[in-house]
Amino acid sequence: MQTRPVAPPAGGLGWANLGMDIVSVTRVRRLLTLYGEDFFRRMLTPGELADCRTSARLDVLGLCGRIAAKEAAFKTLRVRAVFLPWLDIVVRRSEGGWPLVELRGPAAAMAAESGIAAITVTISHDVDYAVAVAAPVLETGPPEGPVHPAHPEEPAQPAQPAAHDCASAAGAPTAHHTPRRHPMSDGLQLVKNWLLARHEELDDIAPDLDLIENRLIDSLSFVEFVFLLEQHSGRAIQMETLEVDEIRTLAAIETHFFAARAVQA
């Protein structure tokens, strides 16, 4: 699915798309406890994980900082209807200790189309949260060639998505939706219960409610959501080929992940 940036072209007076993100340490620690290091291999490259590793374990604050930095960097691209390409936005520690952002594959292509030559980011940690702010470095002329990796020992990774935190999703979920005509499958009911447990402000989720636009699935919870879908659907999911519309609504999730099992049963 081809997507185009929704930001104005680079070069306008005062033009700069800042990105910011905040990540809860408690939330990341819970994910690490539940799923272990394998969970974060879908989000961080081996080099990024190495930067977060201590002699005893993975540093949770380090994980939070890189997750926040990737999301903040992605927000500067101002694209719609596309997942965050976790492994194509690489945040490494420089020799001086500050973070450096490398864009690869689809992330580099989206940046080039927006007139962005590079992205700079800063990360701040506290006991309970990590915060990152990113800013684009604008092109001063035509692109000179592909982005060269800052760490050539680390091969380029296939794009792996996570749900984009859309700017248009600030409002509350819409109350009126078309009711389902058929009972919900057991697998979809478990998915729905998982979402409701994480959004206590909701009493129910309509089958056609946009889960992405209404932020029921955000960038971090997307990876956990894929784990859940794999468990309950009984099929492996390739994040790099997963389309946004396949998980946009509960109805779409049932069609793409549970309908075949219901027919077989």
Side-chain angles (χ1 to χ4, degrees):
M1 178 177 61
Q2 185 177 8
T3 61
R4 296 185 61 82
V6 296
L13 181 63
W15 181 89
N17 290 332
L18 296 180
M20 180 178 179
D21 195 59
I22 181 170
V23 173
S24 164
V25 173
T26 300
R27 187 178 181 187
V28 171
R29 184 177 288 115
R30 180 185 68 82
L31 292 171
L32 185 60
T33 300
L34 282 176
Y35 304 110
E37 186 173 323
D38 283 347
F39 179 89
F40 295 95
R41 294 187 189 279
R42 297 197 179 193
M43 306 168 70
L44 279 73
T45 66
E48 290 173 310
L49 287 170
D51 287 344
C52 297
R53 198 177 305 282
T54 68
S55 59
R57 61 181 65 88
L58 283 175
D59 173 42
V60 175
L61 276 177
L63 292 174
C64 292
R66 277 152 186 78
I67 291 168
K70 286 170 180 268
E71 177 72 25
F74 184 59
K75 287 176 180 177
T76 69
L77 302 179
R78 296 294 197 272
V79 291
R80 179 183 292 127
V82 61
F83 291 125
L84 193 164
W86 284 104
L87 298 184
D88 285 323
I89 300 177
V90 181
V91 181
R92 297 297 308 273
R93 183 188 300 124
S94 70
E95 292 183 1
W98 51 82
L100 296 175
V101 177
E102 176 197 340
L103 301 177
R104 301 170 170 175
M110 286 184 281
E113 192 171 359
S114 292
I116 294 174
I119 297 175
T120 181
V121 66
T122 182
I123 302 172
S124 182
H125 302 91
D126 195 359
V127 175
D128 298 317
Y129 296 95
V131 177
V133 177
V137 178
L138 304 184
E139 292 277 11
T140 57
E144 298 180 357
V147 177
H148 296 287
H151 298 269
E153 76 280 2
E154 200 175 293
Q157 300 284 338
Q160 294 199 13
H164 177 38
D165 185 8
C166 299
S168 61
T174 306
H176 301 289
H177 298 277
T178 304
R180 288 190 61 83
R181 297 181 179 180
H182 303 289
M184 188 173 294
S185 65
D186 292 341
L188 187 65
Q189 185 64 59
L190 291 171
V191 170
K192 180 178 177 180
N193 292 344
W194 184 87
L195 290 168
L196 286 171
R198 283 153 179 77
H199 297 276
E200 296 180 354
E201 73 279 7
L202 299 178
D203 295 325
D204 195 13
I205 301 174
D208 59 348
L209 178 70
D210 194 317
L211 305 175
I212 309 300
E213 292 292 329
N214 288 288
R215 299 176 67 179
L216 272 67
I217 303 175
D218 62 17
S219 295
L220 182 54
S221 67
F222 172 78
V223 182
E224 188 176 9
F225 185 76
V226 169
F227 272 60
L228 180 80
L229 274 182
E230 288 182 331
Q231 177 184 353
H232 295 313
S233 67
R235 53 176 282 196
I237 299 173
Q238 299 298 321
M239 291 174 59
E240 63 269 19
T241 60
L242 186 63
E243 296 286 346
V244 175
D245 288 341
E246 292 179 351
I247 65 163
R248 187 176 292 280
T249 65
L250 289 177
I253 292 169
E254 184 162 43
T255 297
H256 288 95
F257 296 97
F258 298 107
R261 295 186 67 186
V263 171
Q264 293 173 2

